[in-house]
Amino acid sequence: MALAQVRTHARRFVAVGLAVVMAVGFLTATLMVNASTEASLSNSIGAGFRGADLVVSAGEERELGTGDGQAVRQADGVAAVYAQRRSRVAFGTGREAGYGMLQDTAPPELDSLALVSGRLPAGDGEVAVDDATAAKYRLHAGSSLMLAAGSGAAAARDLDGAGKAVVTAIVRASKDPLLMGQPQLHAAPAFAQRFAGGSTYLPTIQVALADGTDADAARTAVAAALQAAGAGSAKVRTAEEQTKAIVATFTGGQDQLTVVLLAFALIALLVCALVVSNTFSVLVAQRTRELALLRCIGAGRGQLRRSVVVEALLVGAAASVLGVLGAVGLMAGIIAVLQRQPDTEFAMLAVPAHAAGAGLGAGVAMTVLASLVPARAATAVAPLAALRPAEGVRLGNRRGKVRPGTGVVLTPAGSAVLVLGALAANLLVALPGGALSFIGLLMCASLFVPPLVSATGRLARPLGVPGRLAAINAVRNPGRTSATAAALLIGVTLDTMMMTGAQTSRAAFAAELAAEYPVDITVADLTLDGRPLDEAAARTAALQEGVAAAGLVT
């Protein structure tokens, strides 16, 4: 019977199927966003460690220094060491100037630079520049640069007498979030040391192991060498472990984006459950006589109830599969677009098993659970009684009393939890409270919807007899009127909530930005032949029309 119903009346289940597809797709895509973000960050950060077997990072006691790199180099099983050093530098082309990050080049075993043109720098006076900076400053292999240590105005003024270098290579810009968006220069260690300002600080020490070396034994030997050098708190990790540790620092152990998206996914699931329940109630009501006839020829209540539940199971399973596939397709398309952009080409698609499993499980479970009440209501009457018109939900019968009574309890209880979550600024507390209060409001619909519709019906009186008939028919069956209004209430409430939430977030972000960054225009001077900005320039700017205040930032 269930298979026949789904096959014969497939169009009846379109609304249910669409609701499940959207809710499951939203939930699955939300979980995929989190996994894909982590995979993309790992791809961008991990690219700098792709040649390393082990990576040493600073511990709690002190930073890593040049001496630690020398100690690691002496450990058993170590074939090559890249004691990575970064320095802020100013550079000039003769026409314009900028600030960037100068890094040491790595030995061949640990080199992660992607060469675009030229050759990597090997001696004094040679540098490599990333392709984005080369395009911006019109550089190529053979171009001349002037370098000075530091990144302030003093460094820019020192460029005329600074060290000179020749660009020997153009390399791919690193997609490391800590380096993206700024010029990246690379030089041999001895030449780069001239611009380190005497600093011996090392962000990390990358290690390549000799062939046949046991990784665990080498890890222990490196840790022992660091202990002997006074850096016992340093962390010795594999390249994969180091990448995951860095990714974790970007969120501080929290992922607010996923929390917000999951909140919307739960809202979608709630709305889907209400749509499924409402739709199945209508479908079952349409088939009351059919079900009654089946009862008359011997079908039991349990059989009919299971038939309705199986219908929901079939529709829920098919729609859930479509929802998961739709989410995967949507995310794949977004990732494909991002991979074509110069700043997000490291984006990666990740489809964790728990995302697909959660989407399928939630869709099927939600559809089946939402169909239980309509299935029970359809089989709760005697066969001959079911051949008569179904009794509406009125305040005088049992259903008409239980449903509003439950709603009267849920509405204030859910509202109290909602207020508590709002005061505590905890979305995971406020969301269940809002859901409970809204469900309670829907269950109380029979108390206020018919009177409101009746009052609104007075507006139709000027239309004459058709208007009066419409007003009377609108409240003839209070249960039907309440069910119709509930469907509209769900949609209008959801739309209003989304638009209000978006506008509230926009206003909150604008206020926060205005408080943290009370600046509308920034004036900077990085030209070699320009006069350095000073207090006089700030006073001049303050006198311009429309300027409320101006100040020099040194």
Side-chain angles (χ1 to χ4, degrees), residues 34 37-38 41 243-257 259:
N34 183 37
T37 300
E38 291 186 355
L41 282 173
T243 300
K244 290 181 178 179
I246 295 176
V247 170
T249 62
F250 284 94
T251 61
Q254 298 179 349
D255 191 347
Q256 298 298 335
L257 174 62
V259 171

Side-chain angles (χ1 to χ4, degrees), residues 13 15-21 23-24 269 272-280 308-320 359-375:
F13 300 100
V16 175
L18 287 176
V20 176
V21 166
V24 170
L269 290 175
C272 177
L274 295 173
V275 171
V276 170
S277 180
N278 201 40
T279 305
F280 265 96
V308 175
V309 172
V310 169
E311 290 178 27
L313 178 63
L314 294 174
V315 174
S320 297
L360 290 173
V364 173
M366 174 186 57
T367 310
V368 172
L369 291 175
S371 69
L372 291 179
V373 174

Side-chain angles (χ1 to χ4, degrees), residues 175-313:
K175 300 307 178 183
D176 187 333
L178 298 176
L179 296 174
M180 286 178 61
Q182 61 179 317
Q184 303 162 23
L185 292 79
H186 306 268
F191 185 62
Q193 179 62 38
R194 292 173 51 184
F195 304 95
S199 172
T200 60
Y201 165 69
L202 304 176
T204 60
I205 301 174
Q206 299 182 29
V207 180
L209 302 179
D211 294 338
T213 302
D214 180 73
D216 292 334
R219 190 171 185 169
T220 302
V222 169
L226 290 168
Q227 179 74 38
S233 64
K235 304 292 191 302
V236 182
R237 303 184 178 101
T238 64
E240 182 179 0
E241 292 171 345
Q242 179 68 14
T243 300
K244 290 181 178 179
I246 295 176
V247 170
T249 62
F250 284 94
T251 61
Q254 298 179 349
D255 191 347
Q256 298 298 335
L257 174 62
T258 300
V259 171
V260 173
L261 289 178
L262 280 176
F264 283 110
L266 293 177
I267 293 171
L269 290 175
L270 173 63
V271 174
C272 177
L274 295 173
V275 171
V276 170
S277 180
N278 201 40
T279 305
F280 265 96
S281 296
V282 174
L283 294 178
V284 171
Q286 290 175 339
R287 295 163 48 198
T288 299
R289 292 179 180 274
E290 174 190 323
L291 296 174
L293 288 172
L294 291 174
R295 289 290 311 281
C296 288
I297 62 175
R301 290 183 177 180
Q303 289 178 308
L304 295 183
R305 186 182 302 116
R306 287 194 295 273
S307 175
V308 175
V309 172
V310 169
E311 290 178 27
L313 178 63

Side-chain angles (χ1 to χ4, degrees), residues 35-130:
S36 298
T37 300
E38 291 186 355
S40 300
L41 282 173
S42 297
N43 186 38
S44 63
I45 295 172
F49 303 130
R50 58 171 169 251
D53 297 305
L54 299 174
V55 180
V56 180
S57 57
E60 296 82 5
E61 296 179 359
R62 68 174 179 83
E63 298 175 340
L64 295 175
T66 306
D68 300 321
Q70 295 172 352
V72 170
R73 192 173 282 105
Q74 304 301 320
D76 294 337
V78 173
V81 170
Y82 174 29
Q84 186 186 48
R85 180 185 289 105
R86 293 175 180 172
S87 307
R88 299 292 301 179
V89 295
F91 64 89
T93 64
R95 300 179 304 275
E96 49 191 342
Y99 305 125
M101 187 71 73
L102 177 64
Q103 301 182 86
D104 294 0
T105 54
E109 299 90 338
L110 294 166
D111 182 29
S112 61
L113 295 177
L115 193 64
V116 176
S117 62
R119 60 170 181 81
L120 293 179
D124 283 351
E126 297 181 345
V127 296
V129 180
D130 70 277

Side-chain angles (χ1 to χ4, degrees), residues 403-416:
R403 182 179 295 179
T406 305
V408 169
V409 174
L410 288 180
T411 301
S415 299

Side-chain angles (χ1 to χ4, degrees), residues 33-34 59 146 222 307 350 354 385 401 409 422 474 499 529 533 548:
V33 164
N34 183 37
M146 293 172 286
V222 169
S307 175
H354 71 269
K401 293 178 180 178
V409 174
M499 290 186 287
D529 54 354
L533 296 173

